[in-house]
Amino acid sequence: MSATILAATNEFVPPGPAEFDFPGYFGTFFNKTMLIIVVMTIVVAVFYVMSSRKAQVVPSRLQFAGESVYGFVRNTLAIDNIGAEGLKFAPYLATLFSFIAVLNIAGIIPVFQFPATSRIAIPLFLAVISWIVFLTVGIRRFGFGPYLKSITIPPGVPKAVLVILVPLEFFSNVIVRPFTLCLRLTFNMFAGHLVLLLFVLGGEYLVLDYGGGVGIAAGSVSLLGSIVLTFFEGFIQLLQAYVFTLLTALYIGGALSEEH
């Protein structure tokens, strides 16, 4: 967190977009956001490797944790939304869910205290991968022309309406989807982190700089509220990882379906 209090004028400056910009370490391009991504990528990889090594009939705690996460994604996201074919997409969806979840949760982990997914480049990159996946499976299943027709020309629509409807369907089903995936995740993480910063830094300012009975009382309420908000933010962070993965599964299921 960067300081947002101007001591010279004793004025509180609320946190803003500048809180999401970090200088590179040692004068390089490698900054805190990239460090979080690297660390959390290693965490996810090590978690799944270690939980799947020496698998036993009676699982260890780590094996149970890995199987629980994977089983949850496989059963509730892959199979429920794609069908039997969802099994072959379960590894991708489980990795996607886990990666987004840990990048989000980094926002409430001490030292990190920043959700990497609040920087639009990361959700956009993940959304483009999902976009490529569901377009590819649809084209491979039906062929380029038939698949494009199925997602742009609804059955039973009068031909006169197609002049307007086809561009709208193409824009909605092909162009917009990766951006909606990206922006939903980015804005939720951005707003949540900003609100949490406001509670913490505002409470600190009221207690230490504003002073007096009113300042200490209001600041204490703000700091206590930040604790409650931290738990709520953790729930939202996991929920957003679930929503992103759920929509990806729905898009893949739709691409494989005979009817779109």
Side-chain angles (χ1 to χ4, degrees):
M1 298 180 183
S2 62
T4 56
I5 301 173
L6 296 181
T9 58
N10 201 36
E11 293 181 357
F12 175 70
V13 179
E19 306 292 340
F20 296 81
D21 295 326
F22 300 101
Y25 295 121
F26 308 109
T28 67
F29 64 89
F30 190 85
N31 59 16
K32 184 176 181 178
T33 305
M34 299 178 71
L35 175 64
I36 293 172
I37 294 171
V38 171
V39 171
M40 291 308 179
T41 300
I42 295 173
V43 167
V44 171
V46 170
F47 171 71
Y48 279 114
V49 169
M50 296 302 294
S51 63
S52 61
R53 289 183 62 190
K54 299 180 181 179
Q56 302 173 357
V57 176
V58 180
S60 63
R61 292 181 181 180
L62 187 59
Q63 181 185 338
F64 177 77
E67 290 178 351
S68 296
V69 175
Y70 183 79
F72 168 75
V73 175
R74 179 194 61 202
N75 297 331
T76 64
L77 295 176
I79 295 177
D80 284 356
N81 295 288
I82 301 175
E85 290 185 274
L87 284 174
K88 61 184 178 183
F89 296 102
Y92 169 67
L93 295 175
T95 304
L96 183 66
F97 172 78
S98 302
F99 186 58
I100 295 175
V102 295
L103 290 184
N104 290 354
I105 289 294
I108 59 174
I109 294 178
V111 180
F112 289 142
Q113 295 178 308
F114 182 75
T117 44
S118 62
R119 299 302 302 267
I120 194 170
I122 292 92
L124 181 59
F125 178 74
L126 297 174
V128 168
I129 294 176
S130 292
W131 177 72
I132 292 173
V133 168
F134 69 72
L135 285 181
T136 300
V137 298
I139 292 171
R140 290 182 64 180
R141 170 63 61 88
F142 302 104
F144 181 81
Y147 177 68
L148 186 62
K149 180 180 178 181
S150 70
I151 62 176
T152 56
I153 304 178
V157 176
K159 292 184 178 180
V161 182
L162 292 179
V163 177
I164 299 176
L165 191 59
V166 168
L168 290 176
E169 288 290 313
F170 179 84
F171 184 75
S172 174
N173 294 327
V174 179
I175 305 299
V176 171
R177 282 183 175 180
F179 291 102
T180 56
L181 277 175
C182 164
L183 295 178
R184 180 183 292 104
L185 178 58
T186 302
F187 289 157
N188 273 284
M189 293 302 99
F190 182 92
H193 186 61
L194 208 57
V195 171
L196 190 56
L197 273 178
L198 182 60
F199 269 72
V200 173
L201 297 176
E204 180 187 15
Y205 170 78
L206 288 170
V207 172
L208 299 180
D209 290 82
Y210 190 82
V214 174
I216 294 175
S220 299
V221 171
S222 179
L223 292 173
L224 289 173
S226 70
I227 297 175
V228 176
L229 188 62
T230 297
F231 286 99
F232 179 72
E233 183 64 14
F235 169 74
I236 296 298
Q237 288 164 346
L238 292 177
L239 179 63
Q240 288 304 314
Y242 174 83
V243 170
F244 192 104
T245 312
L246 171 64
L247 290 175
T248 298
L250 288 172
Y251 293 155
I252 293 173
L256 293 172
S257 175
E258 294 290 340
E259 297 180 1
H260 300 280

